[in-house]
């Protein structure tokens, strides 16, 4: 059971890191190149939907990360 939870924790952390890096921020870093490309291809409305989806994915991955971490600590 511990192994399964640790694998899910690893996947949640990777998803959370990737979704945070892909979000657009005030400065145009990694997200500026990808988000800017999405804006050119799909228009501004589609680029905003892209940011909303990334925000929701980040929130879900963060909650999953916290819950699984607390479960793993409680199991010890």
């Amino acid at each position: 059971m511990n192994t399964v939870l640790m694998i899910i924790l690893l996947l949640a952390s990777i998803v959370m890191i990737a979704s945070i890096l892909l979000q657009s921020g005030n400065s145009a870093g990694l997200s500026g190149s990808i988000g800017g490309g999405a804006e050119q291809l799909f228009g501004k409305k589609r680029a905003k939907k892209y940011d909303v989806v990334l925000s929701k994915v980040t929130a879900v991955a963060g909650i999953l990360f916290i819950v699984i971490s607390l479960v793993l600590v409680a199991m010890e």
Side-chain angles (χ1 to χ4, degrees), residues 8-60:
I8 295 171
L9 184 67
L10 176 68
L11 292 174
S13 63
I14 291 171
V15 167
M16 190 167 51
I17 290 169
S19 64
I20 289 171
L21 287 175
L22 291 174
Q23 286 181 6
S24 61
N26 292 338
S27 62
L30 177 64
S31 62
S33 63
I34 295 172
E39 187 174 323
Q40 287 177 354
L41 286 174
F42 304 118
K44 290 189 179 189
K45 286 185 182 179
R46 188 67 75 105
K48 289 190 187 275
K49 289 181 184 178
Y50 179 72
D51 285 337
V52 170
V53 169
L54 282 176
S55 176
K56 289 180 183 179
V57 167
T58 303
V60 170

mmCIF file of all heavy atoms in Angstrom, residues 8-60:
data_model
loop_
_atom_site.group_PDB
_atom_site.id
_atom_site.type_symbol
_atom_site.label_atom_id
_atom_site.label_comp_id
_atom_site.label_asym_id
_atom_site.label_seq_id
_atom_site.Cartn_x
_atom_site.Cartn_y
_atom_site.Cartn_z
ATOM 1 N N ILE A 8 1.837 7.318 -6.562
ATOM 2 C CA ILE A 8 0.835 8.352 -6.845
ATOM 3 C C ILE A 8 1.344 9.717 -6.398
ATOM 4 O O ILE A 8 1.139 10.728 -7.084
ATOM 5 C CB ILE A 8 -0.507 8.005 -6.172
ATOM 6 C CG1 ILE A 8 -1.093 6.740 -6.790
ATOM 7 C CG2 ILE A 8 -1.505 9.153 -6.308
ATOM 8 C CD1 ILE A 8 -2.302 6.199 -6.067
ATOM 9 N N LEU A 9 2.033 9.771 -5.262
ATOM 10 C CA LEU A 9 2.621 11.018 -4.770
ATOM 11 C C LEU A 9 3.665 11.548 -5.745
ATOM 12 O O LEU A 9 3.704 12.750 -6.031
ATOM 13 C CB LEU A 9 3.236 10.794 -3.397
ATOM 14 C CG LEU A 9 3.814 12.003 -2.693
ATOM 15 C CD1 LEU A 9 2.711 12.971 -2.316
ATOM 16 C CD2 LEU A 9 4.581 11.577 -1.463
ATOM 17 N N LEU A 10 4.476 10.661 -6.288
ATOM 18 C CA LEU A 10 5.488 11.061 -7.267
ATOM 19 C C LEU A 10 4.832 11.628 -8.524
ATOM 20 O O LEU A 10 5.240 12.683 -9.032
ATOM 21 C CB LEU A 10 6.379 9.868 -7.624
ATOM 22 C CG LEU A 10 7.429 10.106 -8.705
ATOM 23 C CD1 LEU A 10 8.492 11.060 -8.189
ATOM 24 C CD2 LEU A 10 8.042 8.806 -9.137
ATOM 25 N N LEU A 11 3.805 10.950 -9.011
ATOM 26 C CA LEU A 11 3.106 11.433 -10.209
ATOM 27 C C LEU A 11 2.422 12.779 -9.951
ATOM 28 O O LEU A 11 2.454 13.677 -10.806
ATOM 29 C CB LEU A 11 2.087 10.398 -10.677
ATOM 30 C CG LEU A 11 2.670 9.092 -11.223
ATOM 31 C CD1 LEU A 11 1.557 8.099 -11.520
ATOM 32 C CD2 LEU A 11 3.497 9.361 -12.457
ATOM 33 N N ALA A 12 1.808 12.929 -8.784
ATOM 34 C CA ALA A 12 1.157 14.200 -8.446
ATOM 35 C C ALA A 12 2.169 15.332 -8.377
ATOM 36 O O ALA A 12 1.900 16.447 -8.840
ATOM 37 C CB ALA A 12 0.404 14.073 -7.129
ATOM 38 N N SER A 13 3.338 15.053 -7.827
ATOM 39 C CA SER A 13 4.358 16.101 -7.738
ATOM 40 C C SER A 13 4.904 16.482 -9.106
ATOM 41 O O SER A 13 5.123 17.663 -9.381
ATOM 42 C CB SER A 13 5.492 15.675 -6.806
ATOM 43 O OG SER A 13 6.145 14.539 -7.309
ATOM 44 N N ILE A 14 5.082 15.507 -9.980
ATOM 45 C CA ILE A 14 5.559 15.811 -11.335
ATOM 46 C C ILE A 14 4.529 16.627 -12.102
ATOM 47 O O ILE A 14 4.861 17.608 -12.783
ATOM 48 C CB ILE A 14 5.927 14.513 -12.085
ATOM 49 C CG1 ILE A 14 7.177 13.896 -11.461
ATOM 50 C CG2 ILE A 14 6.133 14.775 -13.575
ATOM 51 C CD1 ILE A 14 7.506 12.516 -11.976
ATOM 52 N N VAL A 15 3.251 16.244 -11.988
ATOM 53 C CA VAL A 15 2.180 16.993 -12.660
ATOM 54 C C VAL A 15 2.112 18.415 -12.112
ATOM 55 O O VAL A 15 1.944 19.385 -12.861
ATOM 56 C CB VAL A 15 0.830 16.259 -12.503
ATOM 57 C CG1 VAL A 15 -0.329 17.144 -12.906
ATOM 58 C CG2 VAL A 15 0.830 14.982 -13.312
ATOM 59 N N MET A 16 2.237 18.552 -10.798
ATOM 60 C CA MET A 16 2.173 19.878 -10.190
ATOM 61 C C MET A 16 3.342 20.753 -10.640
ATOM 62 O O MET A 16 3.151 21.924 -10.985
ATOM 63 C CB MET A 16 2.150 19.765 -8.670
ATOM 64 C CG MET A 16 1.839 21.067 -7.976
ATOM 65 S SD MET A 16 1.438 20.920 -6.234
ATOM 66 C CE MET A 16 2.773 19.960 -5.591
ATOM 67 N N ILE A 17 4.522 20.210 -10.680
ATOM 68 C CA ILE A 17 5.695 20.981 -11.132
ATOM 69 C C ILE A 17 5.522 21.415 -12.580
ATOM 70 O O ILE A 17 5.761 22.573 -12.929
ATOM 71 C CB ILE A 17 6.981 20.153 -10.942
ATOM 72 C CG1 ILE A 17 7.303 20.009 -9.463
ATOM 73 C CG2 ILE A 17 8.153 20.789 -11.688
ATOM 74 C CD1 ILE A 17 8.401 19.005 -9.167
ATOM 75 N N ALA A 18 5.091 20.491 -13.430
ATOM 76 C CA ALA A 18 4.923 20.819 -14.851
ATOM 77 C C ALA A 18 3.839 21.868 -15.054
ATOM 78 O O ALA A 18 4.012 22.809 -15.840
ATOM 79 C CB ALA A 18 4.589 19.555 -15.640
ATOM 80 N N SER A 19 2.727 21.733 -14.344
ATOM 81 C CA SER A 19 1.639 22.700 -14.536
ATOM 82 C C SER A 19 2.005 24.077 -14.004
ATOM 83 O O SER A 19 1.595 25.091 -14.565
ATOM 84 C CB SER A 19 0.353 22.194 -13.885
ATOM 85 O OG SER A 19 0.497 22.089 -12.494
ATOM 86 N N ILE A 20 2.800 24.137 -12.947
ATOM 87 C CA ILE A 20 3.245 25.438 -12.440
ATOM 88 C C ILE A 20 4.220 26.088 -13.430
ATOM 89 O O ILE A 20 4.136 27.292 -13.695
ATOM 90 C CB ILE A 20 3.890 25.284 -11.053
ATOM 91 C CG1 ILE A 20 2.816 24.971 -10.021
ATOM 92 C CG2 ILE A 20 4.661 26.542 -10.661
ATOM 93 C CD1 ILE A 20 3.347 24.598 -8.665
ATOM 94 N N LEU A 21 5.112 25.309 -13.997
ATOM 95 C CA LEU A 21 6.066 25.874 -14.952
ATOM 96 C C LEU A 21 5.396 26.340 -16.243
ATOM 97 O O LEU A 21 5.880 27.269 -16.892
ATOM 98 C CB LEU A 21 7.154 24.847 -15.277
ATOM 99 C CG LEU A 21 8.178 24.591 -14.186
ATOM 100 C CD1 LEU A 21 9.118 23.470 -14.618
ATOM 101 C CD2 LEU A 21 8.961 25.852 -13.873
ATOM 102 N N LEU A 22 4.303 25.714 -16.614
ATOM 103 C CA LEU A 22 3.634 26.079 -17.860
ATOM 104 C C LEU A 22 2.668 27.248 -17.715
ATOM 105 O O LEU A 22 2.230 27.808 -18.715
ATOM 106 C CB LEU A 22 2.887 24.871 -18.426
ATOM 107 C CG LEU A 22 3.768 23.746 -18.949
ATOM 108 C CD1 LEU A 22 2.912 22.555 -19.347
ATOM 109 C CD2 LEU A 22 4.600 24.214 -20.123
ATOM 110 N N GLN A 23 2.341 27.629 -16.489
ATOM 111 C CA GLN A 23 1.408 28.741 -16.295
ATOM 112 C C GLN A 23 2.067 30.053 -16.674
ATOM 113 O O GLN A 23 3.260 30.246 -16.475
ATOM 114 C CB GLN A 23 0.945 28.808 -14.842
ATOM 115 C CG GLN A 23 -0.028 27.749 -14.484
ATOM 116 C CD GLN A 23 -0.493 27.860 -13.044
ATOM 117 O OE1 GLN A 23 -0.158 28.806 -12.351
ATOM 118 N NE2 GLN A 23 -1.253 26.891 -12.611
ATOM 119 N N SER A 24 1.251 30.951 -17.211
ATOM 120 C CA SER A 24 1.797 32.257 -17.561
ATOM 121 C C SER A 24 1.844 33.124 -16.316
ATOM 122 O O SER A 24 0.965 33.084 -15.472
ATOM 123 C CB SER A 24 0.936 32.930 -18.634
ATOM 124 O OG SER A 24 -0.372 33.132 -18.153
ATOM 125 N N GLY A 25 2.891 33.890 -16.214
ATOM 126 C CA GLY A 25 3.078 34.762 -15.068
ATOM 127 C C GLY A 25 3.313 36.186 -15.521
ATOM 128 O O GLY A 25 3.029 36.556 -16.673
ATOM 129 N N ASN A 26 3.839 36.998 -14.616
ATOM 130 C CA ASN A 26 4.114 38.388 -14.963
ATOM 131 C C ASN A 26 5.282 38.500 -15.930
ATOM 132 O O ASN A 26 5.282 39.352 -16.809
ATOM 133 C CB ASN A 26 4.424 39.181 -13.691
ATOM 134 C CG ASN A 26 3.200 39.304 -12.813
ATOM 135 O OD1 ASN A 26 2.078 39.179 -13.287
ATOM 136 N ND2 ASN A 26 3.416 39.547 -11.528
ATOM 137 N N SER A 27 6.271 37.651 -15.768
ATOM 138 C CA SER A 27 7.406 37.676 -16.682
ATOM 139 C C SER A 27 7.254 36.534 -17.679
ATOM 140 O O SER A 27 6.705 35.494 -17.372
ATOM 141 C CB SER A 27 8.723 37.528 -15.908
ATOM 142 O OG SER A 27 8.750 36.283 -15.258
ATOM 143 N N ALA A 28 7.742 36.744 -18.849
ATOM 144 C CA ALA A 28 7.620 35.718 -19.884
ATOM 145 C C ALA A 28 8.827 34.802 -19.833
ATOM 146 O O ALA A 28 9.853 35.066 -20.427
ATOM 147 C CB ALA A 28 7.507 36.368 -21.257
ATOM 148 N N GLY A 29 8.714 33.712 -19.079
ATOM 149 C CA GLY A 29 9.776 32.725 -19.004
ATOM 150 C C GLY A 29 9.419 31.553 -19.891
ATOM 151 O O GLY A 29 9.082 31.697 -21.060
ATOM 152 N N LEU A 30 9.455 30.362 -19.318
ATOM 153 C CA LEU A 30 9.093 29.160 -20.051
ATOM 154 C C LEU A 30 7.634 29.221 -20.484
ATOM 155 O O LEU A 30 7.284 28.847 -21.590
ATOM 156 C CB LEU A 30 9.336 27.927 -19.170
ATOM 157 C CG LEU A 30 8.934 26.575 -19.744
ATOM 158 C CD1 LEU A 30 9.785 26.272 -20.973
ATOM 159 C CD2 LEU A 30 9.111 25.488 -18.719
ATOM 160 N N SER A 31 6.784 29.741 -19.605
ATOM 161 C CA SER A 31 5.362 29.810 -19.921
ATOM 162 C C SER A 31 5.079 30.813 -21.036
ATOM 163 O O SER A 31 4.124 30.673 -21.781
ATOM 164 C CB SER A 31 4.566 30.189 -18.684
ATOM 165 O OG SER A 31 4.959 31.474 -18.234
ATOM 166 N N GLY A 32 5.900 31.839 -21.135
ATOM 167 C CA GLY A 32 5.687 32.839 -22.182
ATOM 168 C C GLY A 32 5.879 32.254 -23.569
ATOM 169 O O GLY A 32 5.141 32.581 -24.495
ATOM 170 N N SER A 33 6.839 31.377 -23.708
ATOM 171 C CA SER A 33 7.072 30.789 -25.022
ATOM 172 C C SER A 33 5.975 29.799 -25.382
ATOM 173 O O SER A 33 5.508 29.756 -26.515
ATOM 174 C CB SER A 33 8.442 30.110 -25.065
ATOM 175 O OG SER A 33 8.488 29.042 -24.139
ATOM 176 N N ILE A 34 5.531 29.013 -24.411
ATOM 177 C CA ILE A 34 4.484 28.034 -24.693
ATOM 178 C C ILE A 34 3.122 28.711 -24.744
ATOM 179 O O ILE A 34 2.335 28.476 -25.649
ATOM 180 C CB ILE A 34 4.511 26.906 -23.644
ATOM 181 C CG1 ILE A 34 5.813 26.143 -23.782
ATOM 182 C CG2 ILE A 34 3.317 25.980 -23.800
ATOM 183 C CD1 ILE A 34 6.078 25.132 -22.707
ATOM 184 N N GLY A 35 2.839 29.573 -23.772
ATOM 185 C CA GLY A 35 1.563 30.281 -23.755
ATOM 186 C C GLY A 35 1.441 31.228 -24.937
ATOM 187 O O GLY A 35 0.372 31.392 -25.512
ATOM 188 N N GLY A 36 2.549 31.867 -25.298
ATOM 189 C CA GLY A 36 2.533 32.759 -26.462
ATOM 190 C C GLY A 36 2.263 31.993 -27.737
ATOM 191 O O GLY A 36 1.550 32.459 -28.622
ATOM 192 N N GLY A 37 2.811 30.800 -27.815
ATOM 193 C CA GLY A 37 2.548 29.961 -28.980
ATOM 194 C C GLY A 37 1.089 29.548 -29.044
ATOM 195 O O GLY A 37 0.492 29.505 -30.111
ATOM 196 N N ALA A 38 0.508 29.262 -27.885
ATOM 197 C CA ALA A 38 -0.910 28.897 -27.839
ATOM 198 C C ALA A 38 -1.766 30.086 -28.235
ATOM 199 O O ALA A 38 -2.783 29.933 -28.904
ATOM 200 C CB ALA A 38 -1.284 28.408 -26.440
ATOM 201 N N GLU A 39 -1.337 31.274 -27.829
ATOM 202 C CA GLU A 39 -2.105 32.471 -28.176
ATOM 203 C C GLU A 39 -2.048 32.732 -29.677
ATOM 204 O O GLU A 39 -3.032 33.136 -30.281
ATOM 205 C CB GLU A 39 -1.564 33.673 -27.402
ATOM 206 C CG GLU A 39 -2.399 34.916 -27.562
ATOM 207 C CD GLU A 39 -1.911 36.020 -26.658
ATOM 208 O OE1 GLU A 39 -1.502 35.751 -25.528
ATOM 209 O OE2 GLU A 39 -1.943 37.184 -27.128
ATOM 210 N N GLN A 40 -0.905 32.498 -30.300
ATOM 211 C CA GLN A 40 -0.787 32.711 -31.739
ATOM 212 C C GLN A 40 -1.588 31.685 -32.523
ATOM 213 O O GLN A 40 -2.202 32.007 -33.524
ATOM 214 C CB GLN A 40 0.676 32.639 -32.163
ATOM 215 C CG GLN A 40 1.488 33.837 -31.737
ATOM 216 C CD GLN A 40 2.953 33.687 -32.113
ATOM 217 O OE1 GLN A 40 3.385 32.643 -32.589
ATOM 218 N NE2 GLN A 40 3.726 34.727 -31.887
ATOM 219 N N LEU A 41 -1.586 30.446 -32.049
ATOM 220 C CA LEU A 41 -2.296 29.399 -32.768
ATOM 221 C C LEU A 41 -3.800 29.446 -32.560
ATOM 222 O O LEU A 41 -4.572 29.269 -33.488
ATOM 223 C CB LEU A 41 -1.782 28.016 -32.337
ATOM 224 C CG LEU A 41 -0.414 27.612 -32.850
ATOM 225 C CD1 LEU A 41 0.003 26.301 -32.217
ATOM 226 C CD2 LEU A 41 -0.422 27.477 -34.354
ATOM 227 N N PHE A 42 -4.215 29.677 -31.327
ATOM 228 C CA PHE A 42 -5.620 29.520 -30.991
ATOM 229 C C PHE A 42 -6.332 30.826 -30.658
ATOM 230 O O PHE A 42 -7.532 30.829 -30.473
ATOM 231 C CB PHE A 42 -5.767 28.574 -29.796
ATOM 232 C CG PHE A 42 -5.136 27.237 -30.021
ATOM 233 C CD1 PHE A 42 -4.094 26.803 -29.225
ATOM 234 C CD2 PHE A 42 -5.581 26.414 -31.040
ATOM 235 C CE1 PHE A 42 -3.516 25.575 -29.433
ATOM 236 C CE2 PHE A 42 -5.000 25.180 -31.253
ATOM 237 C CZ PHE A 42 -3.968 24.765 -30.447
ATOM 238 N N GLY A 43 -5.618 31.924 -30.567
ATOM 239 C CA GLY A 43 -6.239 33.185 -30.209
ATOM 240 C C GLY A 43 -6.206 33.407 -28.707
ATOM 241 O O GLY A 43 -5.841 32.541 -27.937
ATOM 242 N N LYS A 44 -6.606 34.619 -28.310
ATOM 243 C CA LYS A 44 -6.511 34.979 -26.890
ATOM 244 C C LYS A 44 -7.498 34.213 -26.035
ATOM 245 O O LYS A 44 -7.210 33.892 -24.892
ATOM 246 C CB LYS A 44 -6.708 36.475 -26.722
ATOM 247 C CG LYS A 44 -5.551 37.274 -27.249
ATOM 248 C CD LYS A 44 -5.645 38.725 -26.901
ATOM 249 C CE LYS A 44 -4.429 39.455 -27.435
ATOM 250 N NZ LYS A 44 -4.347 40.805 -26.973
ATOM 251 N N LYS A 45 -8.677 33.925 -26.545
ATOM 252 C CA LYS A 45 -9.664 33.197 -25.739
ATOM 253 C C LYS A 45 -9.165 31.797 -25.415
ATOM 254 O O LYS A 45 -9.303 31.332 -24.289
ATOM 255 C CB LYS A 45 -11.004 33.101 -26.475
ATOM 256 C CG LYS A 45 -11.771 34.395 -26.516
ATOM 257 C CD LYS A 45 -13.120 34.180 -27.144
ATOM 258 C CE LYS A 45 -13.877 35.477 -27.238
ATOM 259 N NZ LYS A 45 -15.180 35.284 -27.878
ATOM 260 N N ARG A 46 -8.586 31.143 -26.386
ATOM 261 C CA ARG A 46 -8.094 29.779 -26.176
ATOM 262 C C ARG A 46 -6.904 29.793 -25.224
ATOM 263 O O ARG A 46 -6.757 28.903 -24.404
ATOM 264 C CB ARG A 46 -7.714 29.170 -27.519
ATOM 265 C CG ARG A 46 -7.366 27.720 -27.529
ATOM 266 C CD ARG A 46 -8.528 26.792 -27.215
ATOM 267 N NE ARG A 46 -9.475 26.609 -28.256
ATOM 268 C CZ ARG A 46 -9.587 25.549 -29.016
ATOM 269 N NH1 ARG A 46 -8.751 24.559 -28.858
ATOM 270 N NH2 ARG A 46 -10.525 25.451 -29.907
ATOM 271 N N ALA A 47 -6.069 30.824 -25.300
ATOM 272 C CA ALA A 47 -4.916 30.920 -24.406
ATOM 273 C C ALA A 47 -5.377 31.123 -22.964
ATOM 274 O O ALA A 47 -4.784 30.580 -22.037
ATOM 275 C CB ALA A 47 -4.007 32.064 -24.839
ATOM 276 N N LYS A 48 -6.451 31.883 -22.762
ATOM 277 C CA LYS A 48 -6.972 32.080 -21.405
ATOM 278 C C LYS A 48 -7.571 30.792 -20.875
ATOM 279 O O LYS A 48 -7.440 30.478 -19.693
ATOM 280 C CB LYS A 48 -7.996 33.204 -21.391
ATOM 281 C CG LYS A 48 -7.385 34.570 -21.596
ATOM 282 C CD LYS A 48 -8.372 35.665 -21.346
ATOM 283 C CE LYS A 48 -7.800 36.997 -21.728
ATOM 284 N NZ LYS A 48 -7.014 37.605 -20.701
ATOM 285 N N LYS A 49 -8.234 30.017 -21.731
ATOM 286 C CA LYS A 49 -8.769 28.724 -21.310
ATOM 287 C C LYS A 49 -7.627 27.786 -20.921
ATOM 288 O O LYS A 49 -7.753 27.003 -19.991
ATOM 289 C CB LYS A 49 -9.606 28.091 -22.417
ATOM 290 C CG LYS A 49 -10.917 28.781 -22.662
ATOM 291 C CD LYS A 49 -11.699 28.077 -23.753
ATOM 292 C CE LYS A 49 -12.964 28.821 -24.073
ATOM 293 N NZ LYS A 49 -13.707 28.185 -25.169
ATOM 294 N N TYR A 50 -6.529 27.886 -21.635
ATOM 295 C CA TYR A 50 -5.332 27.098 -21.349
ATOM 296 C C TYR A 50 -4.829 27.395 -19.944
ATOM 297 O O TYR A 50 -4.500 26.499 -19.189
ATOM 298 C CB TYR A 50 -4.289 27.433 -22.415
ATOM 299 C CG TYR A 50 -2.958 26.754 -22.301
ATOM 300 C CD1 TYR A 50 -2.821 25.403 -22.588
ATOM 301 C CD2 TYR A 50 -1.825 27.465 -21.925
ATOM 302 C CE1 TYR A 50 -1.595 24.778 -22.498
ATOM 303 C CE2 TYR A 50 -0.601 26.855 -21.836
ATOM 304 C CZ TYR A 50 -0.493 25.515 -22.125
ATOM 305 O OH TYR A 50 0.721 24.895 -22.035
ATOM 306 N N ASP A 51 -4.804 28.687 -19.578
ATOM 307 C CA ASP A 51 -4.363 29.075 -18.237
ATOM 308 C C ASP A 51 -5.338 28.601 -17.168
ATOM 309 O O ASP A 51 -4.921 28.202 -16.082
ATOM 310 C CB ASP A 51 -4.199 30.593 -18.153
ATOM 311 C CG ASP A 51 -2.954 31.085 -18.856
ATOM 312 O OD1 ASP A 51 -2.016 30.284 -19.029
ATOM 313 O OD2 ASP A 51 -2.915 32.270 -19.231
ATOM 314 N N VAL A 52 -6.635 28.626 -17.459
ATOM 315 C CA VAL A 52 -7.634 28.166 -16.496
ATOM 316 C C VAL A 52 -7.482 26.665 -16.260
ATOM 317 O O VAL A 52 -7.537 26.201 -15.112
ATOM 318 C CB VAL A 52 -9.064 28.513 -16.978
ATOM 319 C CG1 VAL A 52 -10.114 27.833 -16.127
ATOM 320 C CG2 VAL A 52 -9.266 30.018 -16.981
ATOM 321 N N VAL A 53 -7.277 25.914 -17.323
ATOM 322 C CA VAL A 53 -7.089 24.465 -17.187
ATOM 323 C C VAL A 53 -5.834 24.165 -16.385
ATOM 324 O O VAL A 53 -5.842 23.310 -15.487
ATOM 325 C CB VAL A 53 -7.039 23.787 -18.575
ATOM 326 C CG1 VAL A 53 -6.594 22.351 -18.470
ATOM 327 C CG2 VAL A 53 -8.386 23.884 -19.258
ATOM 328 N N LEU A 54 -4.751 24.872 -16.662
ATOM 329 C CA LEU A 54 -3.512 24.659 -15.909
ATOM 330 C C LEU A 54 -3.695 25.019 -14.442
ATOM 331 O O LEU A 54 -3.152 24.351 -13.560
ATOM 332 C CB LEU A 54 -2.373 25.476 -16.510
ATOM 333 C CG LEU A 54 -1.740 24.907 -17.761
ATOM 334 C CD1 LEU A 54 -0.688 25.868 -18.309
ATOM 335 C CD2 LEU A 54 -1.116 23.561 -17.492
ATOM 336 N N SER A 55 -4.468 26.042 -14.160
ATOM 337 C CA SER A 55 -4.728 26.430 -12.782
ATOM 338 C C SER A 55 -5.504 25.345 -12.038
ATOM 339 O O SER A 55 -5.191 25.020 -10.885
ATOM 340 C CB SER A 55 -5.507 27.745 -12.762
ATOM 341 O OG SER A 55 -5.859 28.094 -11.457
ATOM 342 N N LYS A 56 -6.497 24.763 -12.699
ATOM 343 C CA LYS A 56 -7.278 23.695 -12.074
ATOM 344 C C LYS A 56 -6.438 22.435 -11.879
ATOM 345 O O LYS A 56 -6.536 21.771 -10.845
ATOM 346 C CB LYS A 56 -8.520 23.384 -12.908
ATOM 347 C CG LYS A 56 -9.547 24.486 -12.841
ATOM 348 C CD LYS A 56 -10.765 24.162 -13.663
ATOM 349 C CE LYS A 56 -11.751 25.323 -13.624
ATOM 350 N NZ LYS A 56 -12.935 25.054 -14.443
ATOM 351 N N VAL A 57 -5.608 22.113 -12.851
ATOM 352 C CA VAL A 57 -4.731 20.943 -12.735
ATOM 353 C C VAL A 57 -3.762 21.134 -11.570
ATOM 354 O O VAL A 57 -3.512 20.204 -10.798
ATOM 355 C CB VAL A 57 -3.975 20.698 -14.059
ATOM 356 C CG1 VAL A 57 -2.844 19.702 -13.880
ATOM 357 C CG2 VAL A 57 -4.931 20.221 -15.125
ATOM 358 N N THR A 58 -3.236 22.351 -11.413
ATOM 359 C CA THR A 58 -2.320 22.639 -10.316
ATOM 360 C C THR A 58 -3.020 22.482 -8.970
ATOM 361 O O THR A 58 -2.459 21.909 -8.031
ATOM 362 C CB THR A 58 -1.755 24.069 -10.444
ATOM 363 O OG1 THR A 58 -1.120 24.202 -11.712
ATOM 364 C CG2 THR A 58 -0.761 24.380 -9.348
ATOM 365 N N ALA A 59 -4.244 22.985 -8.875
ATOM 366 C CA ALA A 59 -4.992 22.887 -7.617
ATOM 367 C C ALA A 59 -5.278 21.431 -7.258
ATOM 368 O O ALA A 59 -5.085 21.014 -6.101
ATOM 369 C CB ALA A 59 -6.292 23.679 -7.720
ATOM 370 N N VAL A 60 -5.722 20.648 -8.230
ATOM 371 C CA VAL A 60 -6.025 19.236 -7.970
ATOM 372 C C VAL A 60 -4.762 18.473 -7.582
ATOM 373 O O VAL A 60 -4.764 17.684 -6.628
ATOM 374 C CB VAL A 60 -6.724 18.589 -9.194
ATOM 375 C CG1 VAL A 60 -6.815 17.089 -9.049
ATOM 376 C CG2 VAL A 60 -8.091 19.192 -9.389
#
